Each structure stands twice: as structure tokens, then as C-alpha cells.
Amino acid sequence: MIQTLIEQLEAEHILPFEDLIRLLTEADDDDRAFLFQRARAVTDRYYGHDIYTRGLIEFTNYCKNDCLYCGIRRSNRHVERYRLSEDDILACCREGRKLGFSTFVLQGGEDPFYTRERMCHIVSAIREHFPECAITLSIGEKSYDDYLAYYKAGANRYLLRHETADELHYAKLHPPELSLKNRMRCLYDLKAIGYQTGTGFMVGSPGQTPQTLAKDLLFIHKLQPEMIGIGPFIAHHDTPFKDCANGTLDMTVFLIAVLRLIRPNALIPATTALGTIHPDGRKMGVLAGANVVMPNLSPLNVRHQYTLYDNKIYMDAEAAESRGRLKEEMASIGYRITDARGDMKPL
Ligand code: 5AD
């Protein structure tokens, strides 16, 4: 029965709410194996066994927000805060480019120091030095005009997870000044401007249920994002959620496969969080339909300060070293790290 639902999902890219709940709650091991096989076949049709890489530059850990799950929330006094200068950022890009990266992801907390002007200056400089590369921003909720300005300065892609598509659940994870409504406004603005837009959520965040997950899947189907990032929730010791259970490997890879059938040609990373909860996490993500990895290019001396969750992997690895390890990891399951830019392929 569940396998019929999986076939229906592959054909129609979405299921009615109640069927999504059944898929999420009733799939057994055989159904899971069937789902992974279907998801991998779909990935293969568009991307073969190529895995794209994105060089992640965590350029500021200052954040004006106080999200309950996040290690760099503003009320965490135990974080030593840092900002990278434009020169620091360009140095990361240069190193990344030498290693074969063709996408740079500038990720940071919501840090008011990086005004529209400063951000545009940084983006323009990267655009000028690396005209062939994609520039991805992941810097949170901004106004339409901010997003437009970054785009005109040369940014191509934007990552903003919606975190949960359920209002009540959203309110449990975030402080009162943040709203799901504004988050969604941001995502639709980004799409309208022309960004390749990424969204996603944490798997197993406190209060998540099959119902909230089904809403996430319906929202993603409606938004039609080019990129979908999901990873397990991992408790951070200095947050209100410190004693909460982590999301699981099984649920995360299951959802990666479901998302692959919902968005056949999307770019879906096997995230660092997935690699953190299990040594084979990222390989299992790829075997469930993921086709992107995002190694860290942030300078080693600040990397420990960008801790969204506990036990993050590759904290001490040189960028070159982690790229090498990733290559081996992917080769061991028959996949190949490629240096291509990795834009979304058409359906
Ligand atoms: N565990 C897992 N993922 C987290 N993120 C933030 N905090 C955690 C955590 N404790 C994710 C959020 C955010 C992305 C940058 O990192 O989903 O959008």
C-alpha cells in the first residue's frame, strides 16, 4: 500500500495531506528501500552520479535573533563573536577557487553591521574576482529592496530555511518578534527577484509532528524552491533546547528521498548536520537522493565560534583536507565530486 503511495508521489510530486501522514508514519523497511531506490533513480536521471560542492564561508556569528534552537542566538553569552572583513572573505574565496569550488555560500547570523551597502560591496568584489562562480547568500530575513540590491550586485542564490510551515510550531522555535508570515514573504520575494532560492527545515526539532512535517512538504511543493536543505536538529548545550532529543538519521534520509520525489530536479545537500549525527550520514543522504555537499571554507581560527549545534564535524580540517576526504567518501559509494557550478537542471 505504501509503495503505491510512493509511486503516486513520484508521478504527481505531491500527495494529499492524509496520505503524506500515512507515508511518514507507516512506511516499513521494505517501503524505505523502495523509496530510496526510486529517489536515487530520479536524481540519476537529472544529475547522474555527480555531486556538487559549495564552499561555505561563515563570515559573522553575530546575530540579532534569539531562535531557541540555535547556538549563536543573541542571548548566548558564551559565544565569542567575530566578523570577517571583506579581505578575509575574498581570501576564503581564493583558496576555495584553487580547490575547485565554483559556488561560494556567504552565511552568517543576522548581523546589522553588514548593512545593505557593506553587503553589496562584498558581493560586487566577489563577482568581480570570480565572474564564473555562483554567489549564494544565507543571511536571513531582509526587505525586498535589500534582496534586490544584493541581486543587482551579483548574488545568484539565496538560502533561507522556512524551519517549519506550521504557525504554532514556528512560535515554539522562535522568539515572538519572528513570524512565519514574514519568513514566507522573504521566500516569495527572493523567488520573484530571480534568485535560485533554497528553503528547508530541521528534522526532529522540538514539537515537530507528522502533521507539521506534512505541512512542510506541502509548502515546499507550493514554493517550488531550486534548493532544499534539511538536516537533523542537534541540541546545543547553551540553548533552551539543550535537553531535547536530536533528530534521527533514519527520519532525515527518509525525508530527503521524499523531497527528491516532490522536486525531482532540485539541488538537495547531504548536510553537515547529517554528517554530524552519524559517520556515514552524508553517504546515506546521497544514497537517498541528495546531490550536494557544502564543506567549510571558513578560516580555522574562527570556525569553532560558528557553532549552531554541538559536535559539528570537520571543525579542525583544512579546507583542502576536508575536500579530499569528501571525494573519498563519495567515491566509496560510486559518486563523484565535480567542480561544476551546479545550477538546477531543467525538468
Ligand atoms: N541543529 C540543527 N540545525 C540547526 N540550525 C540552527 N540551529 C540548529 C541546530 N541546533 C539550522 C537552521 C538554520 C541553519 C543555518 O542551521 O535550520 O536555518
Side-chain angles (χ1 to χ4, degrees):
M1 260 336 273
I2 295 295
Q3 295 194 15
T4 315
L5 284 183
I6 293 168
E7 281 167 349
Q8 190 186 335
L9 182 65
E10 182 179 351
E12 295 169 16
H13 309 306
I14 195 61
L15 294 172
F17 184 80
E18 292 303 331
D19 286 339
L20 288 172
I21 302 284
R22 285 188 54 211
L23 178 63
L24 293 170
T25 53
E26 293 174 27
D28 63 20
D29 285 351
D30 286 347
D31 301 326
R32 290 172 58 88
F34 180 74
L35 172 68
F36 295 155
Q37 180 252 318
R38 295 314 310 153
R40 231 166 37 234
V42 169
T43 315
D44 210 67
R45 194 179 315 144
Y46 296 100
Y47 297 102
H49 280 204
D50 284 352
I51 302 294
Y52 301 113
T53 61
R54 319 304 192 193
L56 185 64
I57 302 168
E58 299 154 336
F59 70 99
T60 172
N61 70 350
Y62 282 84
C63 192
K64 68 179 170 68
N65 291 333
D66 217 19
C67 305
L68 280 80
Y69 46 83
C70 185
I72 62 166
R73 65 202 302 266
R74 88 168 164 247
S75 58
N76 184 3
R77 304 275 157 231
H78 301 294
V79 195
E80 207 183 310
R81 305 281 170 171
Y82 73 89
R83 294 185 175 108
L84 299 186
S85 68
E86 185 172 310
D87 285 346
D88 296 333
I89 296 171
L90 285 168
C92 292
C93 295
R94 267 194 299 279
E95 187 190 354
R97 192 73 195 113
K98 268 191 236 149
L99 294 171
F101 289 95
S102 309
T103 294
F104 303 116
V105 181
L106 266 56
Q107 185 173 91
E110 289 193 18
D111 179 356
F113 174 84
Y114 295 91
T115 57
R116 185 191 299 177
E117 290 65 34
R118 284 193 174 118
M119 231 28 247
C120 286
H121 202 274
I122 293 168
V123 171
S124 310
I126 301 175
R127 178 51 62 235
E128 194 180 312
H129 286 89
F130 307 96
E132 71 288 7
C133 292
I135 302 174
T136 306
L137 298 179
S138 177
I139 55 176
E141 298 180 13
K142 308 282 173 184
S143 68
Y144 179 93
D145 290 340
D146 284 339
Y147 288 146
L148 185 64
Y150 311 148
Y151 189 79
K152 286 186 175 157
N156 316 90
R157 305 182 185 146
Y158 204 102
L159 302 177
L160 184 73
R161 291 185 176 178
H162 67 282
E163 311 295 0
T164 172
D166 179 276
E167 295 272 6
L168 287 177
H169 188 213
Y170 198 91
K172 280 185 202 150
L173 301 179
H174 299 102
E177 61 273 19
L178 294 179
S179 73
L180 180 58
K181 192 157 163 272
N182 193 48
R183 198 90 180 161
M184 294 196 170
R185 189 272 304 160
C186 290
L187 285 163
Y188 286 108
D189 281 354
L190 291 163
K191 287 280 278 188
I193 289 168
Y195 281 98
Q196 296 170 46
T197 304
T199 197
F201 53 87
M202 291 175 289
V203 177
S205 60
Q208 187 173 68
T209 62
Q211 285 71 25
T212 66
L213 277 173
K215 287 189 186 180
D216 291 323
L217 300 177
L218 288 166
F219 171 67
I220 286 173
H221 179 255
K222 182 164 153 225
L223 180 70
Q224 297 280 299
E226 283 73 25
M227 302 165 289
I228 308 167
I230 66 166
F233 160 75
I234 303 174
H236 183 288
H237 60 276
D238 279 326
T239 63
F241 290 161
K242 60 176 186 295
D243 297 321
C244 295
N246 292 344
T248 65
L249 173 74
D250 279 0
M251 196 57 186
T252 308
V253 294
F254 184 82
L255 284 162
I256 286 176
V258 168
L259 288 163
R260 172 57 69 201
L261 298 187
I262 291 178
R263 275 298 266 159
N265 55 342
L267 294 151
I268 303 180
T271 55
T272 306
L274 187 55
T276 296
I277 52 163
H278 192 279
D280 290 330
R282 280 199 286 209
K283 288 197 241 184
M284 292 172 71
V286 167
L287 293 174
N291 64 333
V292 172
V293 287
M294 301 174 67
N296 208 313
L297 286 180
S298 311
L300 280 178
N301 61 320
V302 299
R303 218 181 276 177
H304 280 274
Q305 283 138 250
Y306 199 88
T307 353
L308 308 187
Y309 47 80
D310 290 344
N311 304 315
K312 200 167 154 196
I313 50 171
Y314 292 150
M315 274 298 208
D316 296 307
E318 294 288 348
E321 185 187 334
S322 33
R323 193 176 168 91
R325 272 197 255 168
L326 264 176
K327 275 195 172 154
E328 288 167 21
E329 210 176 303
M330 293 303 136
S332 75
I333 51 168
Y335 284 75
R336 188 171 61 98
I337 297 275
T338 155
D339 293 352
R341 226 176 94 123
D343 292 294
M344 189 174 81
K345 300 246 167 100
L347 270 179

Short mmCIF file of all heavy atoms in Angstrom, two decimals, residues 69-71 107 161 163 183 201-202 232-236 273 308-309, ligand 1:
data_model
loop_
_atom_site.label_atom_id
_atom_site.label_comp_id
_atom_site.label_asym_id
_atom_site.label_seq_id
_atom_site.Cartn_x
_atom_site.Cartn_y
_atom_site.Cartn_z
N TYR A 69 16.67 27.20 19.18
CA TYR A 69 17.49 26.04 18.86
C TYR A 69 18.94 26.37 18.57
O TYR A 69 19.80 25.50 18.56
CB TYR A 69 16.90 25.31 17.64
CG TYR A 69 16.51 26.24 16.49
CD1 TYR A 69 17.43 26.69 15.57
CD2 TYR A 69 15.18 26.68 16.37
CE1 TYR A 69 17.07 27.54 14.53
CE2 TYR A 69 14.80 27.53 15.33
CZ TYR A 69 15.75 27.97 14.42
OH TYR A 69 15.39 28.82 13.42
N CYS A 70 19.23 27.64 18.30
CA CYS A 70 20.50 27.97 17.63
C CYS A 70 21.59 28.41 18.59
O CYS A 70 21.38 29.27 19.45
CB CYS A 70 20.25 29.05 16.60
SG CYS A 70 21.72 29.42 15.62
N GLY A 71 22.77 27.84 18.42
CA GLY A 71 23.91 28.12 19.29
C GLY A 71 24.43 29.55 19.21
O GLY A 71 25.09 30.03 20.14
N GLN A 107 27.40 32.72 4.61
CA GLN A 107 26.38 32.50 5.62
C GLN A 107 26.75 33.24 6.89
O GLN A 107 27.93 33.33 7.25
CB GLN A 107 26.23 31.00 5.91
CG GLN A 107 25.09 30.71 6.88
CD GLN A 107 24.84 29.21 7.04
OE1 GLN A 107 25.41 28.57 7.90
NE2 GLN A 107 23.99 28.67 6.20
N ARG A 161 15.96 28.76 5.18
CA ARG A 161 15.05 27.68 5.57
C ARG A 161 13.79 28.27 6.18
O ARG A 161 13.88 29.23 6.95
CB ARG A 161 15.73 26.77 6.58
CG ARG A 161 16.86 25.95 5.98
CD ARG A 161 17.39 25.00 7.03
NE ARG A 161 18.41 24.11 6.51
CZ ARG A 161 19.04 23.22 7.27
NH1 ARG A 161 18.74 23.11 8.57
NH2 ARG A 161 19.95 22.44 6.74
N GLU A 163 12.04 26.59 8.23
CA GLU A 163 12.17 25.97 9.57
C GLU A 163 10.96 25.13 9.97
O GLU A 163 11.10 24.03 10.48
CB GLU A 163 12.51 26.98 10.69
CG GLU A 163 13.67 27.93 10.37
CD GLU A 163 15.04 27.29 10.21
OE1 GLU A 163 15.15 26.06 10.33
OE2 GLU A 163 16.01 28.03 9.92
N ARG A 183 8.73 35.19 7.17
CA ARG A 183 9.66 34.23 6.57
C ARG A 183 9.18 33.88 5.15
O ARG A 183 9.96 33.85 4.21
CB ARG A 183 9.65 32.97 7.45
CG ARG A 183 10.82 32.06 7.27
CD ARG A 183 11.92 32.46 8.20
NE ARG A 183 13.09 31.63 8.09
CZ ARG A 183 14.28 32.02 8.54
NH1 ARG A 183 14.43 33.20 9.12
NH2 ARG A 183 15.30 31.23 8.44
N PHE A 201 14.17 22.72 6.43
CA PHE A 201 13.78 22.68 7.85
C PHE A 201 14.68 21.70 8.59
O PHE A 201 15.40 20.92 7.96
CB PHE A 201 12.30 22.27 7.98
CG PHE A 201 11.96 20.98 7.26
CD1 PHE A 201 12.11 19.75 7.87
CD2 PHE A 201 11.51 21.01 5.93
CE1 PHE A 201 11.81 18.57 7.20
CE2 PHE A 201 11.21 19.83 5.25
CZ PHE A 201 11.36 18.60 5.89
N MET A 202 14.61 21.76 9.90
CA MET A 202 15.32 20.78 10.72
C MET A 202 14.41 19.58 10.93
O MET A 202 13.20 19.73 11.09
CB MET A 202 15.67 21.39 12.08
CG MET A 202 16.74 22.46 11.98
SD MET A 202 17.02 23.25 13.57
CE MET A 202 15.51 24.18 13.74
N PRO A 232 19.18 17.01 10.58
CA PRO A 232 18.61 16.73 11.90
C PRO A 232 18.80 17.91 12.84
O PRO A 232 19.84 18.58 12.80
CB PRO A 232 19.41 15.52 12.37
CG PRO A 232 20.71 15.61 11.62
CD PRO A 232 20.37 16.21 10.29
N PHE A 233 17.82 18.16 13.68
CA PHE A 233 18.02 19.07 14.80
C PHE A 233 19.05 18.42 15.73
O PHE A 233 18.97 17.23 16.01
CB PHE A 233 16.70 19.30 15.57
CG PHE A 233 16.93 19.82 16.96
CD1 PHE A 233 17.29 21.15 17.17
CD2 PHE A 233 16.83 18.97 18.07
CE1 PHE A 233 17.55 21.62 18.45
CE2 PHE A 233 17.08 19.44 19.34
CZ PHE A 233 17.43 20.77 19.54
N ILE A 234 20.03 19.22 16.17
CA ILE A 234 21.03 18.73 17.13
C ILE A 234 21.09 19.73 18.28
O ILE A 234 21.33 20.93 18.06
CB ILE A 234 22.43 18.60 16.47
CG1 ILE A 234 22.36 17.67 15.24
CG2 ILE A 234 23.45 18.10 17.47
CD1 ILE A 234 23.67 17.60 14.44
N ALA A 235 20.86 19.24 19.49
CA ALA A 235 20.80 20.13 20.64
C ALA A 235 22.13 20.85 20.85
O ALA A 235 23.21 20.25 20.69
CB ALA A 235 20.43 19.33 21.89
N HIS A 236 22.06 22.12 21.17
CA HIS A 236 23.25 22.88 21.54
C HIS A 236 23.19 23.15 23.04
O HIS A 236 22.16 23.57 23.56
CB HIS A 236 23.30 24.20 20.75
CG HIS A 236 24.54 25.01 21.01
ND1 HIS A 236 24.75 25.67 22.21
CD2 HIS A 236 25.64 25.23 20.26
CE1 HIS A 236 25.93 26.28 22.16
NE2 HIS A 236 26.48 26.03 21.00
N ALA A 273 25.06 18.70 9.31
CA ALA A 273 24.36 18.17 10.49
C ALA A 273 24.11 16.67 10.33
O ALA A 273 24.24 15.90 11.29
CB ALA A 273 23.05 18.92 10.72
N LEU A 308 26.34 26.23 15.59
CA LEU A 308 24.88 26.27 15.70
C LEU A 308 24.39 25.12 16.56
O LEU A 308 23.35 25.19 17.18
CB LEU A 308 24.26 26.16 14.30
CG LEU A 308 24.76 27.14 13.24
CD1 LEU A 308 23.93 27.03 11.97
CD2 LEU A 308 24.72 28.58 13.75
N TYR A 309 25.18 24.01 16.58
CA TYR A 309 24.81 22.82 17.34
C TYR A 309 26.08 22.12 17.79
O TYR A 309 27.18 22.44 17.31
CB TYR A 309 23.93 21.88 16.48
CG TYR A 309 24.48 21.63 15.09
CD1 TYR A 309 25.49 20.70 14.88
CD2 TYR A 309 24.00 22.36 14.00
CE1 TYR A 309 26.01 20.50 13.62
CE2 TYR A 309 24.53 22.15 12.73
CZ TYR A 309 25.52 21.22 12.55
OH TYR A 309 26.04 21.02 11.29
N1 5AD B 1 20.57 21.83 14.95
C1 5AD B 1 20.48 21.65 13.63
N2 5AD B 1 20.37 22.65 12.74
C2 5AD B 1 20.37 23.90 13.23
N3 5AD B 1 20.25 25.09 12.62
C3 5AD B 1 20.32 26.06 13.55
N4 5AD B 1 20.46 25.52 14.77
C4 5AD B 1 20.49 24.17 14.60
C5 5AD B 1 20.58 23.07 15.49
N5 5AD B 1 20.66 23.23 16.81
C6 5AD B 1 19.98 25.22 11.18
C7 5AD B 1 18.73 26.06 10.93
C8 5AD B 1 19.26 27.22 10.11
C9 5AD B 1 20.53 26.67 9.51
C10 5AD B 1 21.52 27.70 9.11
O1 5AD B 1 21.05 25.86 10.54
O2 5AD B 1 17.78 25.31 10.19
O3 5AD B 1 18.37 27.65 9.10
#
